[in-house]
C-alpha cells in the first residue's frame, strides 16, 4: 500500500487533537484535585451544622435536626450521582458520649480539630472536626480515587470531545485536500510533458510559498534540458558537417585513384587518400572520446596510476609526430608519483593537449608533473603562437578553431580536455608557455589516498 501525504497530514492533525484532549483532561483532573484541598464539602457542611447545633441545648433536638438535615443531604447527593460514598456525621457530647452517628466512617480520636486530609482503611477522607462547650461535631467526606475522578471527567468532557472530533476532522480533510490540489495539478502537468518537443517553462502558480520552489526548480531543470538538447543538436550538426568534408575528399581521391591515366597521379591520389583516411579516423576517435567522457555515462572505476609512467607513455606515443615536425619533447617531474583515478580520462586529456601543441606550430613541448599538498599538478606547456586572450573563453567549445589557423584539424581536442577534466574532478586553467611564448594548460588533480 502506497503511503499518502494527505493521510499523514490528517493523521498528524488528529493526533494533535488527541494530545490536546488529553491535556484538557489532565488540566481538569489537576484542578479537581486542587479543589478537593481548598473547597471541601466537609468544611462547608461542618460549618453549617456547627452553627445550627450551637443554638440547641438538648440531645433530642440535636439528633432530630441532624437526622432531618442528613436525610435531605443524602437525597441531594443521590440526585447528583455521587459515587464516592456517603458523608459521615458524628455528634458527641462534651464527655465523649455519642449522640448521633450517620455513615460508615468514624473519626479517630487522635485526629486534630479543624479541616485535615486523612487516610482510613486505605481510603482518603477529608475530615472536619469542630469542638464546643456542649458538642463535638465530626464530618468525614470520602474523596474519590484517581480512577473514579478520571471516569467522572470522561463522562463530563468525553461526549463534548467526541462531538467536536467530526466537526474538526472534516475541515482538516478539506483543508489538506485543497492545499494539495496545486501539487496534483503540477504532477499532472509534468506527466503530460512531451520531453521530445515540449520543454518550455511550466510557469505554474502553486499559490503556496512552500510549493513555489518546486515549480522554480522544475523550470530550471527544463531550461537545462533545453540547453543540453540544443547543445546536442548543434553537436550532431557540426559533427555531420565535419565528417562530410573528409568523406567528400575521400570520394574525390578514390575517384582519381581509379581513373587517373598515369602512375604519378595515382600515387598522389593514394597519398591524399591516406591522409584523408587518417584525418577521418582521428575525427571519429575524438567523437568516440567525447561520447565516452560524457557525464551521462557515469563515473568509471578509479584505479591506481603511476603518473610519471603515464606521462612518459603519452610522450612516447607522440614522438613519431614530434620527430616528423621537428618538435622537442621533454618531461619534468619526480621518478614516481602515484594517484588514484580514471586512467582513460587522464590519458585522453594529456594526449590531446600534447597533440594540440604539436599541430599548431610549437618547437618545444614540455610536460610537467609536481606533487602538491592539495593533489598532483600537471601542466603541458609549449612555445607556439599561443591563443589570444580574447579567444581563450571560446577555445574549449566543440569544433571551435581560431580564424588564423591553417593546420587541418577538428576543433575537438580542447573540448575533450575540458570534458575529461570535469570527469576527473580536476581544476583546469591557462598558464604561461615556455620562454615567454606559447601557452600552458595547468591541471590540478584532487587529492586521493591510495
Amino acid at each position: 500500500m502506497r503511503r499518502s501525504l494527505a493521510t499523514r497530514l490528517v493523521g498528524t492533525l488528529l493526533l494533535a487533537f488527541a494530545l490536546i484532549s488529553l491535556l484538557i483532561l489532565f488540566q481538569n483532573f489537576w484542578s479537581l484535585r486542587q479543589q478537593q484541598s481548598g473547597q471541601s464539602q466537609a468544611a462547608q457542611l461542618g460549618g453549617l451544622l456547627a452553627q445550627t447545633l450551637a443554638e440547641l441545648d438538648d440531645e433530642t433536638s440535636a439528633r432530630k435536626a441532624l437526622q432531618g438535615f442528613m436525610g435531605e443531604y443524602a437525597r441531594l447527593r443521590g440526585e447528583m450521582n455521587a459515587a464516592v460514598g456517603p458523608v459521615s456525621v458524628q455528634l458527641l457530647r462534651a464527655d465523649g458520649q455519642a449522640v448521633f452517628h450517620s455513615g460508615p466512617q468514624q473519626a479517630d480520636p487522635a485526629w486534630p480539630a479543624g479541616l485535615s486530609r486523612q487516610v482510613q482503611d486505605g481510603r482518603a477522607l477529608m475530615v472536619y472536626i469542630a469542638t464546643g462547650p456542649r458538642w463535638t461535631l465530626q464530618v468525614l467526606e470520602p474523596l474519590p480515587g484517581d480512577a473514579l475522578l478520571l471516569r467522572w471527567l470522561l463522562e463530563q468532557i468525553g461526549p463534548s470531545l467526541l462531538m467536536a472530533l467530526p466537526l474538526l476532522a472534516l475541515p482538516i480533510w478539506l483543508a489538506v485536500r485543497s492545499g494539495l490540489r496545486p501539487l496534483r495539478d503540477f504532477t499532472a502537468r509534468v506527466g503530460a510533458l512531451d520531453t521530445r518537443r515540449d520543454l518550455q517553462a511550466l510557469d505554474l502558480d502553486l499559490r503556496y510559498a512552500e510549493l513555489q520552489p518546486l515549480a522554480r526548480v522544475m523550470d530550471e531543470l527544463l531550461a537545462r534540458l533545453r540547453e543540453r538538447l540544443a547543445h546536442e543538436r548543434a553537436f550532431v550538426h557540426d559533427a555531420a558537417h565535419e565528417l562530410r568534408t573528409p568523406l567528400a575528399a575521400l570520394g574525390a581521391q578514390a575517384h582519381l585513384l581509379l581513373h587517373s591515366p598515369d602512375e604519378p597521379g595515382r600515387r598522389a591520389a593514394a597519398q591524399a587518400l591516406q591522409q584523408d583516411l587518417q584525418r577521418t579516423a582521428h575525427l571519429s576517435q575524438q567523437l568516440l572520446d567525447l561520447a565516452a567522457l560524457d557525464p551521462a555515462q557515469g563515473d568509471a572505476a578509479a584505479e591506481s596510476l603511476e603518473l610519471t609512467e603515464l606521462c612518459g607513455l603519452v610522450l612516447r606515443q607522440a614522438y613519431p609526430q614530434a620527430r616528423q615536425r621537428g618538435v622537442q619533447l621533454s618531461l619534468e617531474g619526480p621518478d614516481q608519483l602515484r594517484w588514484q583515478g580514471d586512467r582513460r580520462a587522464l590519458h585522453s586529456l594529456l594526449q590531446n593537449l600534447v597533440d594540440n601543441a604539436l599541430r599548431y606550430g610549437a618547437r618545444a613541448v614540455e610536460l610537467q608533473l609536481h606533487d602538491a599538498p592539495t593533489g598532483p599538478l600537471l601542466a603541458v606547456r609549449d612555445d607556439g603562437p599561443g591563443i589570444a586572450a580574447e579567444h581563450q573563453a571560446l577555445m574549449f567549445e566543440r569544433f571551435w578553431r581560431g580564424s588564423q589557423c591553417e593546420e587541418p584539424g577538428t576543433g575537438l581536442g580542447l573540448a575533450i580536455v575540458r570534458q575529461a577534466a570535469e570527469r576527473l574532478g580536476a581544476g583546469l586553467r591557462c598558464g604561461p608557455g615556455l620562454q615567454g611564448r606559447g601557452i600552458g594548460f595547468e591541471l590540478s588533480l584532487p587529492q586521493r589516498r591510495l
Side-chain angles (χ1 to χ4, degrees), residues 59 91-99 134-136:
E59 296 180 7
L91 182 63
L92 305 176
R93 292 187 314 205
D95 58 2
Q97 183 67 34
V99 177
R134 294 192 188 90
W135 319 106
T136 297

Side-chain angles (χ1 to χ4, degrees), residues 302-415:
E303 55 182 298
S304 179
L305 305 177
E306 213 295 298
L307 295 180
T308 305
E309 179 183 342
L310 181 62
C311 291
L313 173 63
V314 170
L315 294 181
R316 286 195 300 273
Q317 291 173 338
Y319 178 73
Q321 183 182 0
R323 182 178 180 183
Q324 180 182 0
R325 294 174 177 266
V327 180
Q328 179 182 353
L329 300 178
S330 60
L331 172 61
E332 177 188 328
D335 293 337
Q336 287 187 338
L337 180 56
R338 302 200 69 81
W339 184 71
Q340 191 171 21
D342 186 338
R343 173 184 289 273
R344 179 174 181 175
L346 185 56
H347 181 272
S348 179
L349 183 148
L350 295 174
Q351 187 180 52
N352 277 278
L353 286 177
V354 172
D355 181 71
N356 242 42
L358 293 176
R359 284 176 175 273
Y360 299 110
R363 308 311 300 167
V365 178
E366 185 174 284
L367 206 164
Q368 301 172 352
L369 175 62
H370 301 283
D371 190 11
T374 57
L377 301 177
L378 281 162
V380 177
R381 307 186 192 277
D382 64 60
D383 61 352
I387 300 175
E390 63 268 20
H391 293 155
Q392 289 185 5
L394 301 173
M395 64 185 179
F396 292 109
E397 295 297 325
R398 295 173 178 176
F399 301 109
W400 180 86
R401 303 185 72 217
S403 58
Q404 304 299 322
C405 182
E406 298 179 358
E407 178 72 20
T410 62
L412 288 176
L414 291 181

